[in-house]
Amino acid sequence: EAQVTQNPRYLITVTGKKLTVTCSQNMNHEYMSWYRQDPGLGLRQIYYSMNVEVTDKGDVPEGYKVSRKEKRNFPLILESPSPNQTSLYFCASRRGDLYNEQFFGPGTRLTVL
Amino acid sequence: AQKITQTQPGMFVQEKEAVTLDCTYDTSDPSYGLFWYKQPSSGEMIFLIYQGSYDQQNATEGRYSLNFQKARKSANLVISASQLGDSAMYFCAMREDNSGYALNFGKGTSLLVTP
């Protein structure tokens, strides 16, 4: 089944404790991205990657890191999480050519105390 | 500046009726795509429909249609024959093809379908 998977789905952590949210897709998509969703703000892009070893900042990259060592994986790293990073996070992927929908993962609900 | 504007924070519609969810966008890029996603209470993002800026015809997918008015920069979603399962948040999004391919999302419209 074609899908984007994220782990963990739910996470409660404390300020300053490094964490990684994994994202994997099995569709051989070139393009992957991370979004955060906050009430009343819609979804905002954190980082995106056009292909392996190619990443770039989105609209709200502060406090986050990403890497793209393999085509299928695009982990989101919070080196020192803070309470303002409490949010619902989505990973998404799509083919590199235009006019294609983005496939979203199921979301990761993160709470930073 | 907000690139996608959804002016209706919440809407009600009666089952079996049609409903229009508004979306206006702002871009100077001649090549772009417009998307609608549904987010039920379970949280996942479900793709509904896509319209390309060069498409001549309005997109349709089953009970969903996109009323694309390019000159007005609007891309309203029309849901015909509403069902209780249509109750969800709906997001309009735009991809500008000369700006890194990110999706810019609106703030969403919460739709409640009543019996």
Side-chain angles (χ1 to χ4, degrees):
Chain A
E1 180 190 354
Q3 60 183 350
V4 180
T5 56
Q6 293 178 229
N7 281 292
R9 293 289 313 279
Y10 303 91
L11 179 61
I12 300 174
T13 189
V14 295
T15 299
K17 186 176 181 182
K18 181 179 178 180
L19 66 93
T20 300
V21 184
T22 64
C23 172
S24 183
Q25 51 93 5
N26 62 1
M27 295 167 279
N28 202 36
H29 285 168
E30 290 83 9
Y31 183 93
M32 297 185 74
S33 59
W34 277 101
Y35 295 85
R36 61 178 288 174
Q37 182 182 10
D38 302 291
L41 296 178
L43 279 79
R44 295 176 293 167
Q45 192 181 53
I46 303 170
Y47 268 95
Y48 65 94
S49 169
M50 301 290 285
N51 214 322
V52 176
E53 302 292 2
V54 181
T55 63
D56 211 343
K57 296 177 181 179
D59 295 325
V60 288
E62 293 78 22
Y64 305 95
K65 286 174 57 178
V66 293
S67 69
R68 188 92 182 271
K69 294 187 171 61
E70 308 164 280
K71 199 171 188 179
R72 63 183 294 125
N73 296 324
F74 190 45
L76 179 69
I77 303 155
L78 285 72
E79 294 270 2
S80 183
S82 62
N84 64 12
Q85 293 178 298
T86 292
S87 188
L88 177 60
Y89 291 86
F90 287 99
C91 181
S93 75
R94 67 168 178 81
R95 291 204 324 249
D97 51 332
L98 299 179
Y99 312 125
N100 282 289
E101 68 180 275
Q102 290 208 36
F103 292 83
F104 282 83
T108 294
R109 191 166 290 282
L110 172 66
T111 300
V112 183
L113 302 175
Chain B
Q2 189 76 15
K3 294 199 177 211
I4 294 286
T5 302
Q6 294 180 253
T7 56
Q8 307 150 313
M11 290 193 68
F12 292 90
V13 66
Q14 202 158 18
E15 204 176 1
K16 299 178 186 173
E17 298 288 311
V19 62
T20 297
L21 306 183
D22 294 342
C23 172
T24 57
Y25 60 92
D26 182 24
T27 183
S28 56
D29 194 330
S31 179
Y32 54 89
L34 297 156
F35 301 77
W36 278 92
Y37 284 86
K38 171 184 178 182
Q39 186 179 42
S41 58
S42 51
E44 71 267 33
M45 295 291 286
I46 302 168
F47 167 75
L48 295 179
I49 198 166
Y50 166 81
Q51 179 86 40
S53 57
Y54 295 117
D55 293 342
Q56 295 295 315
Q57 305 229 1
N58 287 343
T60 60
E61 289 286 348
R63 294 186 299 110
Y64 304 107
S65 61
L66 199 152
N67 185 1
F68 181 46
Q69 298 192 35
K70 197 169 183 176
R72 294 186 180 184
K73 293 188 174 178
S74 75
N76 299 338
L77 177 70
V78 180
I79 306 174
S80 62
S82 297
Q83 302 171 355
L84 296 178
D86 293 335
S87 294
M89 280 291 288
Y90 289 81
F91 291 97
C92 179
M94 176 176 65
R95 183 201 65 235
E96 295 170 290
D97 297 335
N98 292 311
S99 302
Y101 310 122
L103 274 186
N104 292 291
F105 282 83
K107 296 182 180 181
T109 295
S110 176
L111 176 67
L112 182 62
V113 181
T114 59

